[in-house]
Amino acid sequence: MDPAVLGTKLASSLVAPLVKRLFVRDAAGAGLVERPVRVSALVSFRGEKRTLAEPDVHKIAGVLVRTALRSPGERPFPADEETAVTDALARTLLALGDLDMDDVQAVRLGHGELARELLRRAPTEELTADAEHFLRSATEWACVHVIDFFTRRSSFVARTLVEQVRGQAELISRVDELIARTPRRDGRDSAFERRYLAYIAKKHSKLFIYGIDLINSPGRWPLDAAYLSLQATAPSGLAEEIVYFDTARRNAERTLIAAENALRQAVTAGLSQTARERVQQAKATLEHAVYRTASLAALHQTSRIPLPADEALADHERIMLRGEAGSGKTTLIQWLAVSAARPTGDSGRMTYLRDRIPFVLPLRSLTRHGGRLPAPQHFLDAVGAAIAGEQPAGWEARVLSAGRGLVLVDGIDEVPEAERALARAWLVDLVDAYPGNRWLVTSRPSAVREDWLADESFTELVLSPMRPEDVVSFVRRWHTAARPATPGDDSDLDRYQAQLIHAVRAKPDLGRLATNPLMCGLICALHRDRRGFLPLGRKELYEAALTMLLARRDRERGMPSPELREEPQLQILQRLAYWLIKDGRTEMARERAVAEIDKALPALPEAAALGDADTVLAHLLNRSGLLRAPSTDTIDFCHRTFQDFLGARALLDEGTFGMVHKHAADDQWEDVIRMAVAQGRPRDRGQILGELLRADSPRALLLAASCLEQATELDPSVRTAIENGVAGLVPPPDLESAYELAAVGPLILDFLPTPQQLTSSGAETRAGDGAAEAAHLCVITASLIGTDTAIPYLAEFADHPSWRVRKQLSGSWHRFDTEVYGREVVARLRHDDLYLVAHSAAELAAVRAMGGRRWMQLEGDFAPEDLTAHLAPDQLTRLDLRGTVRDLSVLARFPRLETLYITECPPEVFLAGLAELPLLTQAGLSAQHAAVSAQAGLVLPQVTTLHVYDLGTERQLRSLPAAFPALRVLRLLLRPGYDPRKDSGLLTELFPGVSVRVAEAARRGNHE
């Protein structure tokens, strides 16, 4: 109720006299000698001039409330709250006596701010939303008259003039002092920011797309045309707690069985009382463990729903983003920087970056000399910005102090391992010094531990592999970007595009390669370059890409420069790459590169014929497309993957395989070792893999296993040793091990046991649950591989008796081809006790084609028409909404629903449609959904079992009884910091006769 609307119910002729009674009369005078008069000294219910007592103020409040209730029209709040509202309004009016301000200051605040200050000083008891709204409006209306009363006092105008003169004089003095101390900076800051943002937008608005830099085409392409938004997922941190409570559940089941057996024996012996108590206690323990496991599993699954990576900073102030080489981390940083730098801001989903000043900090550049990482005033100079030095002194610090910064720190993995602790300290110091900014830090997955920045409130995200639809979108964008480069010269481009889209869908080997933007770009380039024919493996793909870039690039562009064969160029490039790898860096000083080339030239007369080392380096920079010069004095490779591939060649040429053993646990060497095995001769492969076996660690063993796929010829004894070692790691004993095995890739599928083998072997895990738990962990491993080669293995578990195994299969559909996985796995799943999980409308359509399912779980964004088109109203009995459906009135079209869970829909969505579900007996809602709908008048008498998630206030709790009057079972999952059990009688008072279970939201490491 707006104060103006309330004013129609409470006429000024009534309110003004009542408000006036709250203050004493004052004599005229400007108050030039006396100190300013405090509001607390003017009230009539305090001090020596007191004419009212507190009960009188209650009477005034009562008159105001009763008059509003008796006025024509709709009641502003329920009648049974009249006393509570009157008391609250009286306390608010009495708070005038506590104000530490004078009447001029009160007028300056205005009636709205004055009302909020009074309400803050007089907190209310629990009121309904309507009653609280009335209280706020009544207080504002009273404050309108309070301020009117002040302005009519005889001393007000005179003293206001005096205060204005004093205030202006003080302001002028302060401004003069500021000008004397500091020249005008805001104008200079604004002018420089416009120039800086234009510079950033231009610098980062071009993207290198592999392979489009052939005939008559530039090497860089518009970011808007080429950028592909990828998905990221957040590890929930609940996995180990789920395992803990699931283990507790199994233990409780065993205890209950033992207690029931003891009870039967006790009954026979006539000593049953103690045994009955043990059974009841075991049942309670089991129920609690089941509830906690289910609740944590729900939260775990929900928290891993993918989200657009470029929108993550809209909801999280600090993000640690992990992704494999070539997964698009640096491109994402470019996109964020350009989106923030655009003059008018993005008109769509990137609007959250408006007024953010981006600082792009590639750590490869900042750490190249091994010195200290820069303070903000040195950011621009450290990254070699052309406009460094033009900024006003202290500009960076002012931006960050105001919380306007977008700090993009790229490549923790490109910092030498020995220097990462210093890099972390530098980053933490910046975050502590300048809170309120947005921070994004990127790294390869294994470079730093999972909680590396957790203590600094960084949210962990992992870039997801490209989904099949992402690959198709990338192929189309690539060909669109390539089309302007070859007008009329490539009439077959449309045919190549269609051909390649079909190939990545139909050929498993090719689909396994196309998992990130780098590999997709190479595949597109080589497919066009080879007129529709592609190399089959990763090694062959890289070799073909190098040939294209080194031997054919200049020739096909018609460059007149001296031609240098591929092999001499490779020898020089691999020498530079190996130096970088051994030094743990991805960028080197130009003088170091010249020195390394100078050492190599005597053995390479063909390269030496071009000139000295400087000339050869210039040739490679200008012609190869593999080397870049980020600044005038530094050199790096266009992508880390090429550095690793060429470094592996150098490792093989030198034969220094002891380096493999030395660096078996170094994440920067993992791809180097894999590529060395792929390129090596059989004897070299055996020695490299032998060094990994000698390292005698699970990580080194799994790295060796991941190399086998590329080892086309290998000493059988080495292969057997690796296979036997990996066999000792399967089935995985726990979740962490399952994730590590999945990282090996499709190769691990050959080692994972089948359901029959698990049953016959009596497999055990750390949870101690035998074949069922082992099957669950095996299915997790295979499903995380995420390529269609895993589908046949997963299909073997479709009719597994374990509910958890089938649930994992159901929830993994989105990682695979919708049609193939749907046909081979989903259609065969035993589903009488299982929610089938759908992440998209396409999966929903596939479910409908299978004949539909009674129990469905939806994750992601869905339109109401998706539900009506693909869910059968006469079939659906259970629905778990973990995604977003903007209009939940659509639920009224499913009258057979008996169970409904809603956890992720926007809080403003009203749940009125639930009242039209006559069979609905069990519901699960967020506390916010339940409270908002209850306060809006929703009543669901048919619901007897209710699960409430994220309960955080007593007000939310008190809203439940009226909305759910027939409850028999209530389950509450609490938000940290709130526990209704501290008020011993509250739950019994609100829910008499109801079975109530309470659990706290999970925290890592807390298993109480």
Side-chain angles (χ1 to χ4, degrees):
M1 183 179 296
D2 188 91
V5 176
L6 183 61
T8 65
K9 292 179 174 285
L10 296 175
S12 294
S13 59
L14 170 67
V15 178
L18 292 174
V19 169
K20 192 173 181 180
R21 290 185 59 195
L22 298 174
F23 298 96
V24 298
R25 295 187 177 186
D26 195 18
L32 297 178
V33 178
E34 306 234 350
R35 303 173 87 184
V37 180
R38 297 293 178 185
V39 173
S40 58
L42 297 175
V43 296
S44 60
F45 48 85
R46 297 276 176 91
E48 297 178 358
K49 299 179 181 180
R50 180 170 61 236
T51 58
L52 296 179
E54 290 193 7
D56 298 314
V57 178
H58 277 78
K59 290 179 182 178
I60 292 173
V63 171
L64 293 172
V65 172
R66 286 193 298 275
T67 303
L69 288 176
R70 293 168 185 168
S71 299
E74 182 184 356
R75 296 180 62 88
F77 57 85
D80 59 1
E81 289 192 281
E82 179 179 345
T83 301
V85 172
T86 299
D87 290 343
L89 182 57
R91 288 195 301 273
T92 304
L93 296 176
L94 287 168
L96 284 164
D98 300 324
L99 290 179
D100 187 24
M101 65 178 71
D102 59 37
D103 53 354
V104 174
Q105 293 170 325
V107 172
R108 191 179 298 138
L109 273 182
H111 71 275
E113 285 298 324
L114 181 60
R116 280 188 279 277
E117 178 64 19
L118 293 177
L119 290 167
R120 186 183 69 80
R121 290 173 177 270
T124 63
E125 299 293 334
E126 292 291 335
L127 298 175
T128 64
D130 287 341
E132 283 196 354
H133 189 48
F134 173 86
L135 177 63
R136 287 195 301 271
S137 300
T139 304
E140 285 193 33
W141 189 236
C143 286
V144 168
H145 289 277
V146 168
I147 288 177
D148 180 68
F149 170 76
F150 287 162
T151 59
R152 292 176 184 269
R153 293 177 64 242
S154 59
S155 63
F156 180 79
V157 175
R159 190 143 50 82
T160 299
L161 291 174
V162 172
E163 290 293 325
Q164 286 178 347
V165 172
R166 289 173 175 168
Q168 288 173 354
E170 184 179 0
L171 178 61
I172 291 170
S173 174
R174 288 182 179 179
V175 170
D176 287 343
E177 181 184 353
L178 180 63
I179 291 174
R181 189 173 65 248
T182 308
R184 293 177 57 193
R185 292 188 184 277
D186 14 334
R188 290 167 51 200
D189 281 2
S190 299
F192 177 74
E193 283 178 14
R194 288 192 293 271
R195 173 157 164 68
Y196 175 72
L197 292 176
Y199 168 78
I200 289 292
K202 187 171 183 179
K203 178 178 180 179
H204 294 288
S205 63
K206 298 290 184 180
L207 179 66
F208 183 89
I209 305 181
Y210 295 93
I212 310 185
D213 55 342
L214 296 180
I215 305 172
N216 300 318
S217 66
R220 298 169 72 83
W221 293 82
L223 187 65
D224 281 328
Y227 175 72
L228 177 69
S229 178
L230 296 177
Q231 302 285 306
T233 56
S236 68
L238 299 174
E240 57 188 60
E241 290 202 65
I242 295 170
V243 172
Y244 177 90
F245 279 103
D246 200 44
T247 302
R249 173 187 60 79
R250 291 190 294 271
N251 292 337
E253 287 175 348
R254 298 188 184 103
T255 302
L256 178 60
I257 292 171
E260 289 176 339
N261 290 336
L263 175 60
R264 282 192 290 270
Q265 296 173 3
V267 169
T268 304
L271 301 170
S272 62
Q273 184 58 37
T274 301
R276 288 184 193 279
E277 291 175 356
R278 288 178 181 172
V279 170
Q280 292 302 319
Q281 183 179 6
K283 284 182 176 179
T285 302
L286 175 60
E287 186 178 359
H288 175 68
V290 169
Y291 174 57
R292 286 302 303 273
T293 302
S295 299
L296 291 172
L299 288 173
H300 176 67
Q301 187 67 24
T302 300
S303 67
R304 295 185 66 87
I305 295 175
L307 70 158
D310 52 15
E311 296 181 36
L313 280 170
D315 300 316
H316 304 281
E317 186 175 290
R318 304 169 186 176
I319 288 177
M320 175 75 174
L321 180 70
R322 299 174 189 265
E324 299 289 351
S327 60
K329 301 185 295 296
T330 300
T331 303
L332 172 64
I333 279 182
Q334 283 185 248
W335 176 254
L336 292 172
V338 169
S339 297
R342 285 173 173 149
T344 57
D346 193 285
S347 59
R349 56 194 179 85
M350 306 302 292
T351 53
Y352 74 92
L353 292 176
R354 284 180 180 167
D355 198 40
R356 292 281 174 185
I357 304 298
F359 296 100
V360 180
L361 305 175
L363 287 177
R364 63 159 64 187
S365 300
L366 302 185
T367 61
R368 61 175 175 260
H369 299 305
R372 293 184 61 184
L373 289 163
Q377 65 266 32
H378 301 303
F379 278 177
L380 302 192
D381 186 59
V383 299
I387 61 174
E390 296 182 21
Q391 70 271 33
W395 168 73
E396 298 93 339
R398 287 192 293 278
V399 168
L400 295 174
S401 296
R404 298 174 56 220
L406 174 65
V407 187
L408 306 168
V409 182
D410 190 23
I412 287 293
D413 56 285
E414 296 180 357
V415 177
E417 188 170 8
E419 298 174 19
R420 288 177 193 167
L422 294 176
R424 185 185 185 280
W426 165 77
L427 183 60
V428 170
D429 193 41
L430 284 175
V431 170
D432 289 344
Y434 300 105
N437 296 281
R438 291 289 190 267
W439 305 80
L440 175 68
V441 181
T442 71
S443 174
R444 287 193 186 187
S446 57
V448 291
R449 66 180 188 273
E450 184 175 330
D451 60 348
W452 198 62
L453 288 172
D455 290 344
E456 311 308 320
S457 301
F458 274 76
T459 299
E460 283 269 350
L461 293 179
V462 179
L463 272 177
S464 304
M466 293 173 70
R467 301 165 297 178
E469 57 265 36
D470 293 329
V471 174
V472 170
S473 177
F474 184 98
V475 171
R476 287 177 176 148
R477 285 171 177 261
W478 190 97
H479 286 83
T480 298
R483 191 165 280 106
T486 55
D489 293 338
D490 200 343
S491 58
D492 293 329
L493 208 56
D494 289 335
R495 180 169 59 85
Y496 291 156
Q497 175 180 308
Q499 201 177 67
L500 186 55
I501 288 174
H502 173 75
V504 295
R505 286 171 170 168
K507 296 181 178 180
D509 287 343
L510 187 60
R512 281 159 49 192
L513 291 176
T515 57
N516 62 54
L518 168 66
M519 296 303 297
C520 284
L522 286 176
I523 288 169
C524 290
L526 289 168
H527 185 259
R528 187 189 73 172
D529 188 57
R530 295 182 164 213
R531 306 297 181 193
F533 295 94
L534 279 171
L536 295 179
R538 188 179 295 267
K539 166 181 172 286
E540 291 76 14
L541 192 66
Y542 287 142
E543 287 176 340
L546 289 172
T547 297
M548 181 177 67
L549 294 172
L550 293 175
R552 300 183 57 184
R553 187 172 185 262
D554 281 353
R555 187 166 60 249
E556 297 194 13
R557 284 185 167 191
M559 300 295 292
S561 61
E563 189 170 311
L564 185 60
R565 287 188 311 111
E566 180 180 351
E567 186 58 32
Q569 295 183 74
L570 287 173
Q571 289 294 323
I572 295 172
L573 289 168
Q574 71 185 43
R575 186 183 188 99
L576 299 180
Y578 200 39
W579 186 94
L580 285 167
I581 290 166
K582 288 189 292 185
D583 204 48
R585 303 189 183 276
T586 55
E587 193 170 279
M588 68 196 309
R590 186 185 184 100
E591 61 184 24
R592 167 55 61 184
V594 170
E596 291 299 314
I597 294 173
D598 195 51
K599 294 177 187 176
L601 286 181
L604 297 169
E606 190 175 339
L610 292 179
D612 61 11
D614 271 309
T615 304
V616 173
L617 178 58
H619 176 88
L620 293 173
L621 284 169
N622 296 330
R623 301 290 179 253
S624 75
L626 283 171
L627 281 186
R628 302 182 307 183
S631 66
T632 56
D633 62 344
T634 58
I635 302 298
D636 70 358
F637 282 85
C638 67
H639 200 280
R640 173 72 176 270
T641 300
F642 288 119
Q643 174 184 309
D644 291 345
F645 187 82
L646 290 165
R649 277 181 53 110
L651 172 66
L652 291 167
D653 283 355
E654 290 188 9
T656 52
F657 300 138
M659 297 290 285
V660 174
H661 179 266
K662 179 180 178 181
H663 295 282
D666 187 341
D667 62 277
Q668 291 193 342
W669 278 74
E670 286 180 3
D671 280 347
V672 178
I673 294 170
R674 290 191 187 98
M675 293 177 184
V677 171
Q679 298 178 76
R681 296 169 300 177
R683 185 173 62 182
D684 296 335
R685 292 172 183 153
Q687 291 182 14
I688 292 170
L689 295 174
E691 292 294 336
L692 289 177
L693 289 173
R694 195 164 66 86
D696 194 27
S697 73
R699 176 170 177 165
L701 181 58
L702 290 173
L703 177 58
S706 70
C707 296
L708 290 181
E709 187 177 19
Q710 300 293 330
T712 51
E713 183 180 350
L714 180 65
D715 182 341
S717 64
V718 176
R719 185 181 295 273
T720 299
I722 295 173
E723 290 176 347
N724 290 342
V726 173
L729 301 178
V730 294
D734 50 37
L735 276 172
E736 183 179 355
S737 300
Y739 294 144
E740 291 176 353
L741 287 175
V744 173
L747 177 71
I748 201 65
L749 293 169
D750 294 333
F751 299 96
L752 291 176
T754 65
Q756 295 77 18
Q757 290 170 332
L758 288 169
T759 302
S760 61
S761 67
E764 287 290 326
T765 67
R766 287 177 190 167
D769 194 32
E773 181 65 15
H776 181 227
L777 291 167
C778 286
V779 168
I780 289 176
T781 302
S783 65
L784 289 174
I785 291 171
T787 66
D788 289 354
T789 52
I791 293 178
Y793 177 79
L794 293 171
E796 295 188 54
F797 292 84
D799 59 350
H800 198 279
S802 169
W803 173 84
R804 299 180 71 217
V805 170
R806 287 179 285 114
K807 178 175 173 56
Q808 180 67 31
L809 292 173
S810 172
S812 300
W813 193 358
H814 65 291
R815 297 191 177 106
F816 301 93
D817 180 84
T818 300
E819 181 182 352
V820 177
Y821 192 87
R823 181 180 64 249
E824 300 297 326
V825 179
V826 176
R828 297 171 52 196
L829 273 177
R830 201 188 92 200
H831 54 268
D832 54 302
D833 61 346
L834 183 72
Y835 282 91
L836 182 56
V837 182
H839 287 81
S840 66
E843 292 178 4
L844 275 184
V847 173
R848 187 64 182 263
M850 295 173 197
R853 292 292 186 270
R854 295 170 54 244
W855 298 9
M856 288 298 304
Q857 178 177 312
L858 306 187
E859 298 189 1
D861 295 334
F862 291 89
E865 50 267 29
D866 294 333
L867 276 62
T868 55
H870 304 308
L871 296 177
D874 59 345
Q875 186 180 32
L876 190 67
T877 60
R878 295 192 180 190
L879 179 61
D880 187 352
L881 281 179
R882 307 268 181 97
T884 298
V885 179
R886 285 282 171 185
D887 183 4
L888 289 179
S889 64
V890 68
L891 296 176
R893 302 191 185 184
F894 301 93
R896 297 196 61 189
L897 274 176
E898 301 170 358
T899 300
L900 176 64
Y901 292 89
I902 301 173
T903 53
E904 290 297 310
C905 290
E908 67 271 12
V909 173
F910 189 41
L911 306 179
L914 277 60
E916 301 180 45
L917 302 175
L919 303 181
L920 185 67
T921 58
Q922 181 166 317
L925 304 171
S926 73
Q928 192 169 9
H929 275 129
V932 169
S933 297
Q935 291 165 13
L938 179 68
V939 179
L940 300 176
Q942 72 274 38
V943 174
T944 58
T945 299
L946 178 66
H947 295 247
V948 178
Y949 307 102
D950 203 30
L951 182 69
T953 68
E954 185 175 328
R955 178 182 169 189
Q956 291 175 335
L957 186 64
R958 286 185 177 276
S959 70
L960 299 179
F964 303 93
L967 282 184
R968 291 200 291 268
V969 177
L970 177 63
R971 298 291 180 262
L972 304 175
L973 185 63
L974 305 180
R975 190 187 307 164
Y978 175 67
D979 191 344
R981 293 170 295 188
K982 292 180 180 179
D983 185 341
S984 59
L986 180 61
L987 292 175
T988 304
E989 171 199 337
L990 295 177
F991 307 103
V994 178
S995 172
V996 181
R997 285 281 180 189
V998 180
E1000 296 178 8
R1003 294 181 179 177
R1004 296 191 67 180
N1006 176 17
H1007 300 308
E1008 295 179 2

